[in-house]
Amino acid sequence: MEGKNVKMERRMVSRALDELSPYDVWGLQECMRCGICRYACPFWLDSQKATDIPAWRTYEVNKVYSMYYTGYGNVARLLRLRRVKSSEFLKWRESSYNCTACGACTDVSPLEIPNWYTAILLRRMLHLAGMNLEEVEEWANNTKKLGNPLGISTEQWEETAKSAGLPLNEKADILYVPSALESREGEILQQVVNSMIATGEKFTASSQISDVGYYSYLAGDFETAREHFTKILEVAKQVEAKKIVVSDGAGLFFLRWQAPKTLGHKIDIPIYHLTEIIYDAYKKGKVKIEVADFKDQITVHDSEFMSKLGGVEKPPRELMKASIFNYREPKFSPSSHNLFTCGHHLELIKEKSDTVKRARAYSIKQLASWGESVVTFDPNCLLSMRNGIRDSQGIKNAYYYTNILDKAIKR
């Protein structure tokens, strides 16, 4: 920072924006800042601050982009007519983490502007400038050192995996990749193992991989995320896997869609969510499902990354519909902008706990109008719902879908 303005080197800007696609550039430049996106965002509904309007973040990123990559912007920068003010830069830290990157703002936008993505780009610039949130930087540092953002060592992961009966480092058709939150939950891993066995497909996990890698990406450290994504693909080849399966909704989106973008090349091995594998086997008659013994009225909290951004809608809901006696179908489709986001990965940031609690209330109030309990398809969502129960925000129980399927699949 230099007085009232921020000095940015071209090299840093180039690194920060190194994966922008033509669509992203179009979105940055064509956003009209009409503000419609704000009404789909619980963070803005809570704070009513201009800096929590998704389009504000897009404007900030466009300001940096235009200063270095457009003719008029370069001229304006050199003539000191355009600058990033220090006061604005400091607001990036708060604004970029008042966003879960759920994509509702993009869905409701008349031009489908990728506002969710610009929040991550602001985090990237904070990361490169050394001004990111400390807790978030720890995710990236732990991933570099241990391959797991939550600090779970290889030895700890191996012990948890083996106790859950998860095969490791075997030749198999499927490489199973858990996410960080799942890798510490032996019960969830056991449920995954049971479901995979029911499909009849040979599967394995790896002692080297205990996370998908998206926490580093969400921290703005694209380099560490790229290394981790690459490692997963290398391990898949080593075990001769024909497909990669994740059980985390966010993991599906980041491996299937965002990894090819940030790596700069197509991935030649298909990525699936566990519900897709089980639903396919269910339709073919390979897996039989009975109504599980759950008495409460259960509705679904769809993973925004899996449905809204990832495009997987039917399998998870159809499986829950077949498995839950008192199933309560949400009013809106899985990818609807009318569905409020939970706190997702922000639940792991202590500094954001009060803000996230208030924003989470919108989602839980909506879910409670459909059912007394909730099932989720993403461990971040599960954590958020559990925190909502802890904070007495209106739901009775929070289930992970693997628990439902474990009781519903007939063996």
Side-chain angles (χ1 to χ4, degrees):
M1 294 187 185
E2 295 181 342
K4 296 182 178 180
N5 297 314
V6 175
K7 181 180 178 181
M8 290 187 176
E9 294 183 358
R10 178 179 290 277
R11 183 172 57 180
M12 192 208 84
V13 174
S14 178
R15 284 186 66 191
L17 307 179
D18 64 354
E19 67 173 35
L20 286 186
S21 68
Y23 168 70
D24 296 325
V25 173
W26 178 87
L28 292 177
Q29 297 182 325
E30 296 303 317
C31 176
M32 300 179 293
R33 297 189 291 283
C34 64
I36 290 176
C37 54
R38 77 182 79 179
Y39 298 108
C41 180
F43 292 92
W44 179 83
L45 291 172
D46 171 61
S47 73
Q48 304 282 302
K49 291 181 180 179
T51 52
D52 283 335
I53 299 174
W56 182 86
R57 293 185 281 267
T58 297
Y59 176 69
E60 291 298 296
V61 174
N62 183 50
K63 188 188 302 180
V64 174
Y65 174 84
S66 65
M67 284 167 56
Y68 290 89
Y69 291 99
T70 67
Y72 72 89
N74 269 286
V75 172
R77 175 173 57 85
L78 294 172
L79 293 177
R80 299 181 182 275
L81 299 175
R82 174 168 288 193
R83 283 284 188 268
V84 175
K85 296 180 180 178
S86 300
S87 58
E88 294 172 335
F89 185 73
L90 292 173
K91 292 175 183 176
W92 290 6
R93 277 171 59 103
E94 179 181 5
S95 178
S96 63
Y97 287 99
N98 283 355
C99 172
T100 63
C102 73
C105 52
T106 296
D107 191 42
V108 76
S109 167
L111 296 176
E112 297 186 356
I113 303 299
N115 293 309
W116 68 272
Y117 180 52
T118 54
I120 299 176
L121 291 177
L122 285 184
R123 298 180 189 183
R124 177 149 176 75
M125 285 188 268
L126 290 168
H127 164 71
L128 294 173
M131 296 189 66
N132 211 355
L133 300 184
E134 290 184 10
E135 290 177 88
V136 174
E137 282 297 299
E138 190 174 351
W139 297 348
N141 291 333
N142 283 338
T143 302
K144 287 178 186 176
K145 297 175 184 176
L146 302 169
N148 187 293
L150 302 183
I152 297 171
S153 68
T154 300
E155 293 73 25
Q156 290 172 314
W157 158 237
E158 285 185 335
E159 183 179 347
T160 304
K162 289 177 180 178
S163 65
L166 190 61
L168 291 176
N169 308 320
E170 297 181 4
K171 303 292 184 183
D173 292 334
I174 292 177
L175 172 65
Y176 168 64
V177 179
S179 63
L181 286 170
E182 293 171 326
S183 68
R184 66 183 186 182
E185 296 279 353
E187 186 176 4
I188 288 178
L189 294 176
Q190 177 66 68
Q191 292 160 359
V192 170
V193 169
N194 292 341
S195 296
M196 290 296 294
I197 289 175
T199 67
E201 298 199 56
K202 185 170 175 57
F203 64 98
T204 187
S206 169
S207 59
Q208 303 176 55
I209 306 294
S210 63
D211 180 51
V212 178
Y214 62 77
Y215 286 101
S216 295
Y217 192 93
L218 291 169
D221 188 350
F222 292 2
E223 289 79 10
T224 297
R226 289 165 187 160
E227 289 177 6
H228 199 81
F229 293 152
T230 299
K231 186 175 181 180
I232 291 173
L233 298 177
E234 290 174 348
V235 168
K237 289 182 179 179
Q238 290 170 10
V239 300
E240 300 178 4
K242 296 177 182 177
K243 49 192 167 187
I244 295 173
V245 172
V246 297
S247 45
D248 178 339
L252 171 84
F253 168 71
F254 280 96
L255 267 187
R256 181 184 284 182
W257 299 110
Q258 212 63 13
K261 175 177 181 175
T262 197
L263 292 174
H265 62 78
K266 292 182 179 180
I267 292 178
D268 57 4
I269 183 169
I271 315 292
Y272 296 96
H273 188 264
L274 181 60
T275 57
E276 293 181 283
I277 298 296
I278 296 175
Y279 184 60
D280 183 63
Y282 172 60
K283 288 193 300 179
K284 293 177 179 178
K286 295 180 179 179
V287 168
K288 298 189 181 299
I289 292 178
E290 298 179 338
V291 176
D293 187 25
F294 292 93
K295 305 301 183 184
D296 39 351
Q297 296 177 350
I298 303 175
T299 191
V300 169
H301 173 64
D302 297 283
S303 167
E304 298 91 345
F305 284 104
M306 183 168 70
S307 57
K308 198 173 295 171
L309 295 173
V312 176
E313 298 190 8
K314 189 174 182 179
R317 281 203 183 180
E318 288 299 313
L319 287 175
M320 294 302 100
K321 193 180 297 184
S323 303
I324 300 170
F325 176 70
N326 281 321
Y327 176 76
R328 294 294 184 265
E329 181 81 6
K331 183 178 179 181
F332 307 109
S333 70
S335 60
S336 172
H337 61 263
N338 291 302
L339 292 173
F340 284 116
T341 180
C342 64
H344 205 259
H345 61 284
L346 302 182
E347 298 281 356
L348 294 168
I349 307 174
K350 294 179 182 178
E351 184 178 328
K352 304 297 298 184
S353 59
D354 291 338
T355 300
V356 171
K357 177 182 177 180
R358 295 193 301 271
R360 185 204 309 131
Y362 287 86
S363 174
I364 291 186
K365 181 180 179 181
Q366 185 179 57
L367 292 165
S369 70
W370 299 324
E372 59 184 345
S373 299
V374 177
V375 60
T376 73
F377 306 97
D378 181 318
N380 299 279
C381 302
L382 178 64
L383 175 61
S384 189
M385 294 298 109
R386 285 174 173 172
N387 287 345
I389 294 171
R390 178 201 64 195
D391 295 334
S392 303
Q393 290 185 303
I395 57 173
K396 179 181 176 181
N397 293 306
Y399 301 103
Y400 203 41
Y401 74 98
T402 56
N403 184 13
I404 303 289
L405 290 175
D406 190 47
K407 297 183 184 303
I409 293 176
K410 186 177 180 180
R411 297 178 180 83

